Amino acid sequence: MRLGGPESDNIEDRRGRGGGGGGRGGIAVGGLGGVAILLVCLFFGIDPSVLLSDGEAPPPTQREASREPGRDPGQRNAAPEDAGRRFVAQVLGETEQVWTAQFTAMGRQYQAPVLVLFSGATQSGCGGAQAQMGPFYCPNDRRVYIDLDFMAQLQQQLGARGDFAAAYIVAHEVGHHVQNELGVLRRAEELRRGNDANAVQVRVELQADCFAGLWAKRANDARRILEPGDVEEGLAAAAAVGDDRLQRRAGGRVQPESFTHGSSAERVRWFRRGLESGALSACDTFASR
Ligand SMILES: [Zn+2]
């Protein structure tokens, strides 16, 4: 990738600070049980309990305070500059440009999410976050949580190497934030009642994949961020984190009814749809059969 744009300021660097621990969010996969499910939640997860739980939103005062950029300079920018942080901040900056333009075109204002870098464990508006959960988005505090070490390790394990694969992870999580802004997450929560909750979750995840593709296309059209091989890398990453692939890797039987993110083929298909069209309307996974 060629990332020359400005870095986003919406990074909250909590690395090197002790994890908050506690909170039942840390046991996000609890109740679902099983190695396969643990693995499924590892990567790209909106942790299902985030949406299914009753929230645990922080009190309004705390939320306001933490949303204010630069309010607490002692906590932000605590860790030294490094390549991983810079990369994530640049990708986040690219997502801000693309989504700000999209929202403006819709006559709306895009409120960008804050991206929290943490190591080990931290607290989120959705409960305790642990690196093992993988990157996730918490709608309650409108933050993306990423542990850079863990992400690098997973990329290696899953064979989803390269910078564009990492950018895809960030863009997918930002996609969940866009869903939050557009009211999709709220509607999905309503849909879950009386429907197959896993099937609804799959549509939420596939739409975030499509949004990630849309982002890559728009950013590339505007600023030529893609280099040869990047698209293939993104598609390989999408395939590597399909539920069927993860379940097989975990040594289990492939159980489509337990999917929460979609099969490899579906993830590739929706990422590609966003990537080729660059159109929001192409990402209606809820209308699709
Ligand atoms: Zn997701």
Side-chain angles (χ1 to χ4, degrees):
M1 289 182 79
R2 265 188 306 265
L3 290 167
E7 293 176 30
S8 170
D9 290 328
N10 293 316
I11 301 277
E12 189 179 314
D13 204 334
R14 298 184 190 168
R15 290 173 301 167
R17 293 200 281 137
R24 58 166 178 206
I27 324 289
V29 291
L32 297 170
V35 177
I37 296 298
L38 178 67
L39 257 179
V40 170
C41 292
L42 271 177
F43 210 67
F44 287 4
I46 243 192
D47 148 35
S49 73
V50 165
L51 290 163
L52 296 170
S53 79
D54 49 17
E56 276 192 278
T61 46
Q62 185 193 332
R63 232 182 321 183
E64 282 317 306
S66 54
R67 192 180 293 168
E68 194 103 33
R71 176 99 161 226
D72 188 352
Q75 288 195 354
R76 282 163 168 269
N77 311 320
E81 289 297 322
D82 55 78
R85 177 199 159 119
R86 207 159 44 240
F87 175 80
V88 167
Q90 281 181 322
V91 171
L92 190 63
E94 284 288 347
T95 66
E96 287 165 3
Q97 302 222 38
V98 166
W99 288 112
T100 296
Q102 171 65 40
F103 274 62
T104 303
M106 298 187 298
R108 298 185 46 169
Q109 208 184 350
Y110 178 59
Q111 307 283 349
V114 168
L115 190 150
V116 177
L117 292 175
F118 72 101
S119 45
T122 193
Q123 273 299 335
S124 83
C126 299
Q130 310 211 341
Q132 291 86 340
M133 289 161 59
F136 71 100
Y137 172 70
C138 172
N140 295 339
D141 61 12
R142 304 157 53 84
R143 280 165 157 72
V144 172
Y145 289 82
I146 288 184
D147 177 293
L148 286 180
D149 296 339
F150 188 75
M151 197 158 88
Q153 192 188 323
L154 260 181
Q155 274 179 270
Q156 273 182 353
Q157 283 172 6
L158 293 172
R161 287 199 178 75
D163 54 356
F164 188 68
Y168 164 48
I169 296 172
V170 174
H172 172 100
E173 297 306 337
V174 170
H176 286 312
H177 175 70
V178 171
Q179 291 176 314
N180 199 18
E181 291 286 287
L182 295 176
V184 173
L185 294 186
R186 197 169 17 87
R187 281 199 307 269
E189 202 172 353
E190 287 161 13
L191 261 182
R192 273 194 188 88
R193 299 185 199 119
N195 286 296
D196 178 353
N198 280 352
V200 173
Q201 183 61 23
V202 165
R203 286 169 193 260
V204 169
E205 294 301 333
L206 293 176
Q207 186 173 63
D209 286 336
C210 190
F211 283 176
L214 179 158
W215 162 74
K217 154 103 173 131
R218 301 272 192 94
N220 190 52
D221 286 351
R223 289 169 294 280
R224 294 279 142 228
I225 63 164
L226 296 179
E227 293 177 308
D230 279 347
V231 167
E232 291 73 16
E233 208 178 90
L235 293 171
V241 292
D243 285 331
D244 48 345
R245 189 86 67 92
L246 292 175
Q247 288 183 353
R248 222 171 274 125
R249 280 181 69 93
R253 201 162 57 82
V254 175
Q255 298 171 292
E257 68 278 7
S258 70
F259 284 3
T260 54
H261 286 68
S263 68
S264 293
E266 285 174 318
R267 299 199 71 165
V268 166
R269 184 168 77 234
W270 283 99
F271 177 67
R272 194 194 284 276
R273 275 188 81 144
L275 188 68
E276 285 171 359
S277 70
L280 204 62
S281 57
C283 295
D284 191 354
T285 53
F286 291 87
S288 166
R289 283 295 83 216

